[in-house]
Amino acid sequence: MSEPTIESILQEQRLFPPSAEFASKCQIKSLEDYQQIYERAKADPVAFWESIATEELHWFEPWHTVLEWKPPEVKWFLGGKINISYNCLDRHLQTWRRNKAALIWEGEPGDSRTYTYAQLHREVCQFANVLKQLGVKKGDRVGIYLPMIPEAAIAMLACARIGAPHTVVFGGFSAEALKDRLLDAQAKLVITADGGWRKDKIVPLKEQLDLALAQNGVPSVAQVLVVARTGQTIQMEPGRDHWWHELRVGISPDCPPESMDSEDLLFILYTSGTTGKPKGVVHTTGGYNLYTHITTKWIFDLQDTDIYWCTADVGWITGHSYIVYGPLSNGATTLMYEGVPRPSNPGCFWDIIEKYGVNIFYTAPTAIRSFIKMGEHYPLARNLSSLRLLGTVGEPINPEAWIWYHRIIGGGHCPIVDTWWQTETGGVMITPLPGATPTKPGSATLPFPGIIADVVDLEGNSLPNNQGGYLVIKHPWPGMMRTVYGDPDRFRRTYWEHIPPKDGQYLYFAGDGARKDDQGYFWVMGRVDDVINVSGHRLGTMEIESALVSHKAVAEAAVVGCPDEIKGEDIFAFVTLENNYQPSDSLSDELKQHVVKEIGAIARPGQIRFTDGLPKTRSGKIMRRLLRNLAAGQDVVGDTSTLEDRSVLDKLREQDH
Ligand code: PRX
């Protein structure tokens, strides 16, 4: 399978309209319907969002102002009072959905659980009451470091219920990365588990948390709540650590939801940027609830009988918005899987689809590419006929993988929604609507109603069709991030100053390159900054460089992305050593392991190349463009006249041959 090149993607002309039968059953049934809604929203975004907020959500008190936009500060539904856990749970209890499955969970070792809305509500209330008993109050930040078990969703909803913002840290992050995030968020309590299952092994989550908290590493953390999952022996620190199953005994299943201001902090989620320090992306309550609700409803065309499965981890924004909040706000049945396909069970995804009769399946292009490699006999051996809609997220999908997904998994009849969005956007921004938008393999197609997207140059001028530029959003939307936690300056610099306001209009800079074709379809080409996307996981090159240079053998490090058949991109590190160290395979392995310890397995460099020097400009800036060429095994292209010392590049090239 060949990697997509910009040219091959742009030449992709195949068009896949939804079948008339499929479209006829959808909420938005035609391109004309979409265009009409889109134009109405564009003409008056405030009225558009206001009408959806009124129709779709329960508010304890109405807002007095829909939008306050003092760039880059934004507020939605000012004065409105709301609770997202109420919208995700309580309001369904008053309907027939009370006894509908809210959450179906499949554990990796083969155990499973199902919670109805009534049961999930009870669990969340008990969890919330335990948090309160441990002293958590409205506004206190709570860290969640859990495997993919129902308690992860329960803990998030419990925090939301009492107004305690959560910060979920992906269970694959190491103690160091966890500590940085808990410190930045000033978490008061952390929820974790004795361990989690991953690829037939136990991930020692509590042990990692103990390391992060050792020697008063995170002074704000006073309590730890531990969920029993794997049953392995762990250390429990008296006074600090508590078992969830012990504290819940006799706890009331009744916990009234806190009345939250629409703009109260709902959660902080850390994501990688261009500096070594991850950003705490801030999302607030009302706008996020509204945006995840309506995008889930229209993009997945949810029907009340659907079994919906998003394979992401709740540690990422996709898990927040499209496993937990969006689906539950809609009263859907959301499926959650603890594991990932593993050597001992390469067909596990297809088993789960068959077992539960999954109708909507949402996954990442990397997963699709690895399924292609494993062979189509695995999916073909299962009955996947329940599927009616497929989705992808997290990275560009190459047309070959798209076609395979369509043909082998979707049986040639399921529309595919390729959804472009980011941690910062809260929800999907550019996407087909399955009953309306003819799709083109590799294109995320058209903006969601209310989203005004464009491709511009660095001065903010709109570019003509088919010309590459920067993807921007021109009008605020309810799900957008509000700030970088504790660093409003970074928020301004990162998203609002790369491209200056154009004719008084502020442009949200997404950090992605894109172009539009003659039908106005968006083709997202990937990051234009020092962020790389490995298997749909977003990593900052500086973060990995900082991890490398924290090893005693490393003098300097430069990290770039290089194309990878399965992962999309892989991590390629150029390293210069301190005087008394020699390059060797064992040192290379040691450095890779060091990065795993500092950040987590997702950041393990695929390749480390030792070098005597790094190509730099005369002002000392590393010329990453050249390194990217070298890492991709290409000739160095473009201007090299600013190089300080040409021989460094020549030597690196020699190594290449
Ligand atoms: O580069 C884009 C890529 O993933 C980035 C956002 O990463 P993150 O905040 O971790 O969120 C991932 C899940 C929403 C984007 O800047 N990306 C995401 N979806 C797509 C994509 N690139 C191309 N096509 C997509 N559908």
Side-chain angles (χ1 to χ4, degrees):
M1 192 178 49
S2 60
E3 264 308 299
T5 60
I6 289 180
E7 289 69 27
S8 76
I9 289 179
L10 276 178
Q11 279 159 15
E12 179 58 58
Q13 293 293 337
R14 283 169 284 188
L15 200 63
F16 292 78
S19 71
E21 203 219 331
F22 183 93
S24 69
K25 295 186 190 135
C26 284
Q27 299 167 52
I28 297 168
K29 299 181 196 313
S30 67
L31 194 58
E32 294 69 45
D33 279 5
Y34 157 79
Q35 279 159 346
Q36 215 177 26
I37 300 173
Y38 188 83
E39 289 308 323
R40 175 163 59 87
K42 188 175 173 189
D44 191 349
V46 166
F48 172 73
W49 291 118
E50 178 160 41
S51 72
I52 298 183
T54 310
E55 281 161 30
E56 300 285 340
L57 297 184
H58 178 89
W59 298 80
F60 300 131
E61 282 174 41
W63 53 88
H64 53 72
T65 308
V66 177
L67 169 65
E68 187 183 278
W69 179 218
K70 296 180 182 159
E73 264 177 49
V74 70
K75 292 184 179 150
W76 282 93
F77 307 107
L78 288 85
K81 301 281 183 205
I82 189 166
N83 186 297
I84 195 169
S85 97
Y86 183 94
N87 276 313
C88 287
L89 300 168
D90 305 54
R91 63 170 168 161
H92 306 310
L93 303 188
Q94 297 142 27
T95 72
W96 68 270
R97 294 196 185 102
R98 179 180 184 84
N99 296 321
K100 173 179 176 176
L103 182 66
I104 297 177
W105 173 77
E106 179 79 10
E108 204 186 48
D111 46 345
S112 58
R113 281 186 246 165
T114 298
Y115 296 84
T116 63
Y117 272 94
Q119 289 168 327
L120 191 61
H121 175 261
R122 198 167 52 227
E123 290 280 321
V124 168
C125 285
Q126 279 197 325
F127 210 108
N129 281 332
V130 166
L131 291 177
K132 279 201 220 166
Q133 200 185 49
L134 290 172
V136 178
K137 295 192 190 62
K138 183 174 173 176
D140 289 341
R141 273 81 58 218
V142 172
I144 299 180
Y145 185 57
L146 283 173
M148 281 287 287
I149 53 178
E151 286 80 359
I154 291 166
M156 289 163 76
L157 290 160
C159 287
R161 194 160 189 89
I162 62 173
H166 54 71
T167 182
V168 183
V169 180
F170 172 56
F173 277 124
S174 69
E176 279 300 315
L178 172 63
K179 180 173 161 183
D180 290 346
R181 287 157 175 77
L182 295 175
L183 272 173
D184 192 79
Q186 294 276 292
K188 183 168 177 182
L189 178 143
V190 184
I191 302 161
T192 190
D194 50 357
W197 290 102
R198 201 85 176 167
K199 296 195 175 169
D200 298 322
K201 290 203 195 93
I202 288 178
V203 186
L205 293 166
K206 174 64 166 56
E207 210 177 290
Q208 291 293 312
L209 177 63
D210 287 341
L211 285 172
L213 301 184
Q215 289 154 4
N216 205 19
V218 190
S220 59
V221 174
Q223 314 274 358
V224 172
L225 187 57
V226 187
V227 178
R229 168 63 186 135
T230 55
Q232 65 181 28
T233 312
I234 53 163
Q235 302 272 342
M236 293 290 280
E237 192 174 303
R240 187 194 72 181
D241 300 349
H242 315 269
W243 287 105
W244 152 237
H245 63 266
E246 287 178 4
L247 293 198
R248 74 182 294 179
V249 176
I251 286 282
S252 162
D254 183 25
C255 174
E258 195 71 42
S259 175
M260 303 299 289
D261 194 275
S262 176
E263 279 301 330
D264 274 339
L265 180 52
L266 175 63
F267 66 82
I268 307 165
L269 185 59
Y270 286 85
T271 189
S272 298
T274 49
T275 72
K277 195 173 169 286
K279 294 180 279 224
V281 170
V282 165
H283 283 289
T284 57
T285 310
Y288 176 84
N289 192 166
L290 178 66
Y291 197 66
T292 53
H293 176 96
I294 197 65
T295 47
T296 311
K297 181 170 174 166
W298 285 352
I299 296 166
F300 299 109
D301 188 52
L302 279 181
Q303 314 279 342
D304 241 326
T305 50
D306 280 331
I307 307 280
Y308 161 93
W309 181 21
C310 164
T311 67
D313 191 289
V314 290
W316 310 115
I317 191 71
T318 309
H320 282 57
S321 302
Y322 298 111
I323 294 177
V324 181
Y325 290 120
L328 294 177
S329 182
N330 279 282
T333 300
T334 183
L335 197 150
M336 187 172 172
Y337 175 47
E338 185 181 24
V340 288
R342 52 200 192 279
S344 65
N345 195 356
C348 61
F349 274 20
W350 323 124
D351 290 345
I352 293 172
I353 291 175
E354 186 180 75
K355 177 171 172 187
Y356 294 102
V358 171
N359 307 107
I360 304 168
F361 179 63
Y362 188 33
T363 195
T366 288
I368 297 165
R369 288 190 293 263
S370 64
F371 296 136
I372 297 176
K373 200 167 177 199
M374 287 176 206
E376 56 191 50
H377 52 283
Y378 289 110
L380 291 179
R382 291 286 166 267
N383 180 355
L384 306 181
S385 61
S386 57
L387 288 172
R388 65 179 185 87
L389 179 59
L390 304 174
T392 72
V393 57
E395 41 175 334
I397 182 163
N398 45 317
E400 294 84 347
W402 195 102
I403 296 287
W404 186 91
Y405 194 34
H406 189 254
R407 199 165 53 86
I408 303 295
I409 307 305
H413 62 85
C414 299
I416 298 179
V417 290
D418 172 354
T419 60
W420 176 86
W421 60 296
Q422 312 177 296
T423 307
E424 292 88 338
T425 67
V428 175
M429 303 289 281
I430 301 181
T431 177
L433 296 183
T437 319
T439 51
K440 298 183 190 180
S443 170
T445 75
L446 300 166
F448 192 80
I451 302 303
I452 301 167
D454 201 3
V455 177
V456 301
D457 64 17
L458 270 181
E459 274 83 52
N461 302 303
S462 273
L463 290 173
N465 290 343
N466 299 313
Q467 198 167 318
Y470 302 95
L471 182 55
V472 295
I473 310 294
K474 291 187 159 173
H475 190 277
W477 66 102
M480 68 197 280
M481 77 182 282
R482 299 300 193 257
T483 188
V484 173
Y485 190 67
D487 198 348
D489 245 24
R490 191 170 176 196
F491 176 57
R492 181 185 295 274
R493 279 196 318 272
T494 313
Y495 303 101
W496 306 97
E497 285 184 354
H498 281 286
I499 298 179
K502 184 77 188 156
D503 306 326
Q505 186 173 43
Y506 275 72
L507 305 174
Y508 167 82
F509 175 76
D512 277 321
R515 31 184 113 187
K516 279 197 287 182
D517 68 14
D518 290 331
Q519 281 78 45
Y521 277 37
F522 284 79
W523 298 80
V524 179
M525 298 305 173
R527 303 290 308 193
V528 292
D529 52 11
D530 293 326
V531 168
I532 51 182
N533 195 325
V534 183
S535 303
H537 295 141
R538 176 168 159 183
L539 292 161
T541 52
M542 290 265 289
E543 260 172 287
I544 307 169
E545 288 164 8
S546 316
L548 282 166
V549 296
S550 71
H551 189 282
K552 58 186 184 309
V554 177
E556 252 189 323
V559 166
V560 294
C562 69
D564 181 274
E565 231 190 39
I566 303 289
K567 302 176 184 175
E569 269 187 298
D570 201 1
I571 301 165
F572 198 119
F574 293 86
V575 166
T576 65
L577 293 174
E578 293 287 358
N579 280 338
N580 40 345
Y581 289 89
Q582 293 302 317
S584 69
D585 286 349
S586 67
L587 182 57
S588 174
D589 289 344
E590 188 178 322
L591 295 182
K592 288 179 188 173
Q593 204 41 45
H594 182 70
V595 176
V596 173
K597 185 177 142 275
E598 292 290 306
I599 304 176
I602 52 169
R604 177 197 294 273
Q607 271 204 63
I608 290 188
R609 182 171 299 175
F610 295 109
T611 161
D612 293 340
L614 294 169
K616 291 185 185 162
T617 62
R618 285 181 197 100
S619 57
K621 247 184 113 189
I622 295 173
M623 293 185 73
R624 288 168 187 282
R625 179 172 53 81
L626 306 187
L627 294 177
R628 273 195 289 271
N629 289 151
L630 287 167
Q634 297 161 347
D635 259 357
V636 170
V637 289
D639 186 14
T640 54
S641 63
T642 51
L643 264 179
E644 185 202 20
D645 178 357
R646 232 201 118 80
S647 69
V648 171
L649 178 62
D650 293 338
K651 270 201 196 148
L652 272 167
R653 271 172 161 165
E654 274 166 33
Q655 272 187 328
D656 223 13
H657 295 120

